[in-house]
Amino acid sequence: MGLPDGSGDLLSEMDGDAFRRLFPLQFYESHFVKSTRPDGRSLTEARETSSALGAVASADGSALVKIGSTTMLAAIKMEVMTPPTESPDEGCIAIDFHMPPICSPTVRPGRPADAAPVVSKQLSDTILRQVNCHSGMVNLKELSLISGKAAWMAYLDIYCLDADGALFDAALLSAVAAFSHLQIPVVSMNDEGKVVVMSEEQGGKEAVNNGKRKLTLSSIPFSLTCILHKKYILADPTAEEESIMETLVTVVLDSSGQLVSLYKPGGPVLAYTSVIQDCVALTRQRARELQAILDEAISGMEVD
């Protein structure tokens, strides 16, 4: 909907909420010219972010992550499996992303959210990527127990509790946090010769692995989603911002600052590489912030 001439006078005379509802794009642009946003952030400022490890007591690894109002709960359950013949010395990771109706008014009961399979695929590609023969964040060989006979299957489930924009960024951070918290259980051989998770009552049995252990995480990925609108770049958009402005770019960098992926689902073709370079620079800064948040959460768990 176009804004009539004399929009400045109209804005001053019209109630702010009414103007926002009737002319949402123009409402936002009236803030952009002042290098700010309606929620008080600068254009390139991300929302307040927090990470709490161990949010699910029954899981082997878990985390609750919030970016603004966007909230993700990630949980990992480990199960012993027979490894595939093509990779007898590797375990597996299965990733599912869930968007229950409670997360957003746009998600209807009985109907899967359109974004869920897209985010799930992005997460799998990012966490399990193979680039130039280097492993992704998790080395699947670390999930092997007995070559060709037993390995770990890690089931990672991420539940979106509040979908207020930048879903992939929050989901990826929750996955990284859950794997950082993960403790691989102790297993033993039962009377039938099968590898099973040891219970506390089986303390006398010989363990196949040496106590609970943590995974070695490398090339940890961090991401930042930006909206590109005219000459403006908006970092970490809310759901309202995403619904009004269509050009989204998500940059994923690893912990060494190397580009992992760049995802652009829609909007016009980008004509200037400088815009992408600006987004990468913002992501590099954001990655340092997220690493510090994750380190603080891990340190807090170790103290406890």
Side-chain angles (χ1 to χ4, degrees):
M1 182 182 295
L3 187 64
D5 292 337
S7 57
D9 294 336
L10 181 61
L11 176 58
S12 62
E13 294 175 4
M14 185 181 294
D15 175 78
D17 289 339
F19 183 78
R20 186 172 191 162
R21 289 193 302 271
L22 292 173
F23 307 104
L25 185 56
Q26 289 78 7
F27 173 80
Y28 271 87
E29 289 177 340
S30 69
H31 287 76
F32 295 166
V33 296
K34 303 172 187 175
S35 299
T36 187
R37 290 150 86 169
D39 60 10
R41 287 185 289 157
S42 68
L43 300 186
T44 58
E45 182 183 353
R47 291 170 292 177
E48 184 177 349
T49 303
S50 64
S51 175
L53 306 186
V56 182
S58 60
D60 297 304
S62 62
L64 180 70
V65 162
K66 295 190 71 175
I67 299 180
S69 295
T70 299
T71 306
M72 299 286 171
L73 178 65
I76 302 172
K77 286 294 288 183
M78 305 294 287
E79 290 188 5
V80 178
M81 67 164 192
T82 302
T85 54
E86 62 271 16
S87 51
D89 297 314
E90 294 183 355
C92 293
I93 297 175
I95 301 173
D96 277 315
F97 179 71
H98 310 270
M99 293 185 68
I102 61 167
C103 76
S104 170
T106 63
V107 179
R108 302 293 182 84
R111 296 182 182 180
D114 294 338
V118 176
V119 174
S120 186
K121 176 68 164 54
Q122 282 182 271
L123 288 168
S124 296
D125 291 346
T126 301
I127 293 173
L128 302 177
R129 74 187 189 283
Q130 298 290 327
V131 180
N132 298 326
C133 298
H134 295 293
S135 64
M137 182 180 77
V138 177
N139 183 350
L140 296 180
K141 291 185 181 297
E142 283 200 37
L143 297 178
S144 177
L145 287 167
I146 301 175
S147 180
K149 294 184 177 181
W152 287 112
M153 166 66 84
Y155 291 98
L156 169 63
D157 285 282
I158 301 176
Y159 294 87
C160 179
L161 305 182
D162 194 334
D164 189 22
L167 300 186
F168 173 74
D169 298 346
L172 179 60
L173 181 58
S174 72
V176 170
F179 273 110
S180 298
H181 176 252
L182 173 66
Q183 286 195 317
I184 296 179
V186 179
V187 294
S188 63
M189 197 83 73
N190 68 10
D191 296 336
E192 287 80 35
K194 292 183 178 180
V195 176
V196 295
V197 176
M198 279 184 69
S199 64
E200 293 181 1
E201 293 75 19
Q202 294 175 302
K205 288 205 169 189
E206 185 177 351
V208 173
N209 52 353
N210 298 321
K212 287 188 176 183
R213 64 181 178 87
K214 299 180 77 67
L215 286 176
T216 302
L217 304 183
S218 60
S219 300
I220 296 176
F222 297 105
S223 67
L224 177 65
T225 297
C226 296
I227 282 180
L228 309 181
H229 179 69
K230 295 183 178 178
K231 63 179 181 180
Y232 305 109
I233 299 177
L234 280 68
D236 182 28
T238 63
E240 182 180 28
E241 290 170 336
E242 289 182 350
S243 69
I244 295 169
M245 293 159 278
E246 63 178 6
T247 305
L248 285 173
V249 172
T250 299
V251 177
V252 184
L253 302 177
D254 65 20
S255 48
S256 65
Q258 297 298 308
L259 181 66
V260 174
S261 64
L262 189 149
Y263 180 69
K264 180 180 174 296
V269 176
L270 300 179
Y272 302 103
T273 56
S274 61
V275 174
I276 297 300
Q277 291 172 347
D278 290 342
C279 290
V280 170
L282 289 172
T283 306
R284 190 165 286 117
Q285 176 183 338
R286 177 63 169 161
R288 289 192 291 267
E289 296 172 357
L290 296 177
Q291 183 68 69
I293 291 169
L294 185 60
D295 289 344
E296 184 179 356
I298 294 171
S299 176
M301 286 292 297
E302 291 174 348
V303 170
D304 293 342

